[in-house]
Amino acid sequence: MCGISAIFSPKGMKLEHLVNLNTPILHRGPDDEGYYLSSWDNNSGKHLFGKTSPVETQQMFQLEDVDSCVSETGNVLLAHRRLAIRDVSARGHQPMTCNKQRFNIIYNGEVYNSDEIKSELVELGYHFESTTDTEVILYAFVEWKEKMLSKLNGMFSILIYDAQEQNLFIARDRFGIKPLYYWQLEDGGYAFVSEIKQLQMLPNWEAKLNHERAFDFLNWGQTDHTHETMFAGVLHLPPGHYAYLSAKNSQQTLNPIRWYNWDTPEFTGTFEEAVEKFESLFVSSVDYRLRADVPIGTCLSGGLDSSSIVCVVNDLLQQKQVQKTFSSCSEHKRFDEREFVHEVLNKTKNIEPHLFNLEHKKFSSTLPKIIYHQDEPFLSPSVFAEWSVFETVSQNGVKVTLDGHGADEQLCGYHTFYGPLLYSLFAKGQWLQLVKEIKALKKLHGYGLGYSLPKIVRGILPDSLNQFLFKITNRPTKQVNWIDLDRLKVDSQSETAVPDVFDLKKLSFQQMTQHSLPKQLRWCDRDSMAFSVESRVPFVDYRVVEFLYSLPSTYKLEKGITKRVLRESMKNYLPTKVKDRIDKMGFVTPAEIWVKDDPEHYLQLIDSAVEKSKGILNQEAKNRLTRMVKGEQKFDHSFWRIIFFAEWMDTFKVEV
């Protein structure tokens, strides 16, 4: 896990600009630093090492000092900051090169099956100097070019420059676990970065607001759902895509090409067969993600997903080493999951648990730093909970964690899946099953007809009536009165950021690709890397994803029970109380209580937010939030979106 910076420029740029571009991401790679500079005119390349590089790196690769070359100009400039996870020696230094410096790579991520790919390449005659996955990727590209991507099981953003052909290869993993942003330079070239904040260091960079994406965030609560960001002109390479840039093409157009498709045939086996298959895949996924040469820990919320990971890891380790777990808790019982955490701790062996309470005072003081690290505004204080977990992880000497992101989206874990389930049964005329589901929702979750019937009706009614119902129930609609739409320059009749879906499989796909997982992955990447910690997500192994996507919906959700195949497959690993748990919390915080306990502080924040929004938030926005603080209006997450958006605009000096 690392940070990357790159410039591909027809006119060329000085190395000092690349050094500046690489400076803000020291947290992503504090273990090493390296640079590469190449000119198209004489086809020359130069590998340099940074100030933080170990001395043996310079000796091993005979690298030059970057300080002596900062005034030099190149058309291709690559930079890397390394968080050493596999082969922590200097042999893992990047940019890495091969074939007499023809191929040069910078890479952020982990490829878990690199040992298997390496064996294949050895049989083809390749010789390796290190045990890093970086070298495996480099030779895999030499052998198979972009076709090598389908062989990789992991998370990655990759840039490889072929100095002979003078082209740059750019690629991103299947689900966008690792970030890769780009911005077009004035000369038609491109800058590539791991975090948007790096672009502030470029000449002529200005932070300008992407109005449509800002509206999506403020009104609909959507972010990371397109290839655009909230900064105008800053895009990310879509997940599962690659691209080439060539020095021979003066247009310098970046045209992403999809390399990964969700082509999964329907699973036709029994539920019992699905359980057996899923257990095998999930254990394999977790086992892959234990490959590291540094200490590994596990996040433990007490929920089904993280508990499954912890228990499988514990079984795989067989008490060969101490397993550290990390849990955020709360002094408010409504938001506290420690009873389930202790169930898992009692079930497992050789565990070193770390539990801590989230504190309001720390949330307030840390918020500016979190907003800076996140690059874009986020939806709720749950990001603070995750941030605090990774802070604790780092304080206890752990560099890698396994985390549960991606399970809810695939296994119908969110209660939002109940609506499409009820509607689909109604639309198919499966009346008996529909009645059973309605009764189960009432029995298990207390959801009566007042909950179930509107879910069905919503799928039947035209959009205009749904919008009217949303308005009278205080839900977001296309007509919003607390945003100055003239100032934001968007059409109030624009469609929702992510349209409603009334099919379970389609909703799961939407959650994985637009609505839920992409923003969670961004939050997790920034929260973990802020503390130089690598987060790995076993549920987002492509083998697991494809298998779960192929399953009938009833294997995941039936009679009010979510994640059926996961629960059954983990019955021999999990404590019964956790396996049978039906409530849903996640990274929760007592944020609403904090607001009510300190109204003066938040009333001041509201005043400040309206001012910092530069006219986007109007007087009604202030009135709306004030009513929430005083308990005169139901508290909802638009409160936090407004606060965080305004602070983000101020932090990055975003122009409207």
Side-chain angles (χ1 to χ4, degrees), residues 34-235:
Y35 298 86
Y36 169 81
L37 179 146
S38 179
S39 172
W40 292 336
D41 292 338
N42 54 20
N43 198 23
S44 63
K46 181 179 293 187
H47 281 260
L48 315 166
F49 83 100
K51 299 175 182 177
T52 61
S53 299
V55 174
E56 70 257 31
T57 301
Q58 185 182 18
Q59 297 172 343
M60 182 176 297
F61 298 103
Q62 297 182 338
L63 305 181
E64 295 183 56
D65 190 330
V66 68
D67 287 342
S68 64
C69 304
V70 290
S71 62
E72 291 191 24
T73 299
N75 300 108
V76 180
L77 303 97
L78 309 178
H80 187 263
R81 286 196 179 272
R82 185 186 183 204
L83 181 65
I85 303 295
R86 300 285 298 274
D87 190 346
V88 299
S89 75
R91 290 187 295 270
H93 177 78
Q94 294 185 48
M96 187 178 287
T97 188
C98 72
N99 290 32
K100 299 181 180 179
Q101 296 196 13
R102 173 181 172 180
F103 298 99
N104 306 271
I105 184 174
I106 52 174
Y107 151 63
N108 168 31
E110 291 290 342
V111 171
Y112 307 113
N113 65 333
S114 61
D115 291 347
E116 289 77 5
I117 300 173
K118 182 177 182 178
S119 296
E120 189 175 352
L121 288 166
V122 168
E123 290 184 6
L124 292 172
Y126 288 87
H127 174 72
F128 290 82
E129 299 291 338
S130 73
T131 58
T132 66
D133 53 346
T134 307
E135 191 176 12
V136 173
I137 295 171
L138 185 57
Y139 282 125
F141 180 78
V142 172
E143 179 66 25
W144 298 299
K145 296 299 186 286
E146 68 272 5
K147 292 181 180 179
M148 63 103 173
L149 294 169
S150 62
K151 293 177 176 287
L152 308 182
N153 185 340
M155 51 184 182
F156 49 84
S157 291
I158 301 169
L159 276 74
I160 300 176
Y161 178 62
D162 183 339
Q164 179 174 303
E165 295 296 325
Q166 294 187 328
N167 62 40
L168 184 67
F169 172 73
I170 310 107
R172 197 168 177 216
D173 67 67
R174 293 169 177 84
F175 308 108
I177 304 173
K178 289 295 100 190
L180 183 58
Y181 299 96
Y182 64 93
W183 181 63
Q184 191 158 26
L185 303 170
E186 289 184 338
D187 65 1
Y190 290 89
F192 299 91
V193 292
S194 291
E195 298 185 9
I196 300 173
K197 64 179 65 66
Q198 296 171 253
L199 296 174
Q200 296 178 109
M201 310 303 292
L202 287 175
N204 304 316
W205 160 258
E206 293 181 36
K208 296 181 179 179
L209 186 67
N210 183 331
H211 291 211
E212 292 291 341
R213 300 292 78 82
F215 179 76
D216 287 348
F217 174 79
L218 286 169
N219 191 49
W220 304 114
Q222 287 302 326
T223 179
D224 302 86
H225 56 293
T226 76
H227 71 290
E228 298 179 359
T229 70
M230 230 170 292
F231 291 90
V234 179
L235 309 176

Side-chain angles (χ1 to χ4, degrees), residues 356-401:
F356 62 92
N357 282 340
L358 297 173
E359 299 176 358
H360 180 207
K361 183 178 181 180
K362 187 171 183 180
F363 168 66
S364 298
S365 63
T366 309
L367 184 58
K369 185 181 294 185
I370 299 177
I371 288 175
Y372 172 77
H373 275 276
Q374 282 292 329
D375 277 338
E376 297 180 84
F378 42 93
L379 299 178
S380 78
S382 63
V383 172
F384 166 66
E386 187 176 56
W387 170 281
S388 301
V389 167
F390 286 116
E391 181 178 32
T392 306
V393 168
S394 178
Q395 290 169 349
N396 285 275
V398 171
K399 293 185 74 171
V400 174
T401 62

